[in-house]
Amino acid sequence: MKNKLIVAVLIFALAFSQLGAFAFSDMNEDRLNWAVEAVDAMTEKNIIKGYADGTFRPDQTITKEEALILMSRISGFEEKSSEEYISLAAETYKTVLEDYYTPYKEEISYLLYRGILTLEDLTLYAANNERTQPLKRYEAAML
């Protein structure tokens, strides 16, 4: 059950609205009741946000890029106190990230700056042909 919960939290992890789990149109099924508390808690903390269409997509796999965004939020990217840190990280890794086609360069540079992600990890998680691939369990464990 513990592994199932970890995987579920990662799968649920990213989105783009600040609603509770029951506010997501696709989280009302009885089979998902066990995850609602965790989803609500992470939504309240702005770690996960839901998609623009009001869905949470709990059955969709999480991509490597989504996992990186989640990791950045968990480690403080969304906090007001991190603004200066984020700017410094973005400037430090601007050149390194020029070849990566992602709208989340600030989040990735933040992870690099904090030491959560290494330059070697960029190939595995953020390369253009990798970033939209489903995250594997061992990759989640590495993060």
Side-chain angles (χ1 to χ4, degrees):
M1 182 68 173
K2 185 175 178 181
N3 286 340
K4 187 176 182 180
L5 181 59
I6 291 169
V7 171
V9 169
L10 284 174
I11 288 172
F12 294 147
L14 284 183
F16 305 90
S17 103
Q18 297 186 20
L19 305 171
F22 281 113
F24 296 115
S25 61
D26 55 352
M27 283 293 292
N28 294 325
E29 297 180 33
D30 288 336
R31 69 182 178 84
L32 300 173
N33 284 343
W34 65 271
V36 170
E37 187 177 327
V39 171
D40 281 343
M42 292 178 72
T43 301
E44 286 176 21
K45 293 178 182 179
N46 255 354
I47 294 170
I48 54 177
K49 299 181 182 182
Y51 289 91
D53 64 359
T55 62
F56 198 68
R57 303 178 192 171
D59 295 318
Q60 182 174 307
T61 59
I62 186 170
T63 67
K64 293 177 180 183
E65 184 173 63
E66 289 172 330
L68 293 180
I69 298 164
L70 173 65
M71 292 303 299
S72 73
R73 290 177 182 165
I74 289 169
S75 60
F77 181 82
E78 296 277 326
E79 295 173 13
K80 184 90 171 145
S81 61
S82 296
E83 287 178 0
E84 187 175 327
Y85 200 61
I86 292 166
S87 295
L88 185 56
E91 186 60 36
T92 301
Y93 291 102
K94 182 179 182 178
T95 306
V96 171
L97 295 175
E98 283 178 351
D99 294 330
Y100 294 87
Y101 304 108
T102 176
Y104 304 104
K105 290 182 180 179
E106 282 190 338
E107 289 87 340
I108 293 171
S109 63
Y110 179 80
L111 292 173
L112 288 165
Y113 200 78
R114 299 260 338 246
I116 296 168
L117 195 65
T118 67
L119 292 175
E120 294 79 25
D121 292 333
L122 287 177
T123 304
L124 179 62
Y125 296 102
N128 300 325
N129 60 336
E130 289 292 324
R131 67 186 183 88
T132 58
Q133 296 300 309
L135 184 72
K136 295 180 177 105
R137 291 179 77 138
Y138 79 88
E139 293 167 334
M142 289 171 53
L143 286 173

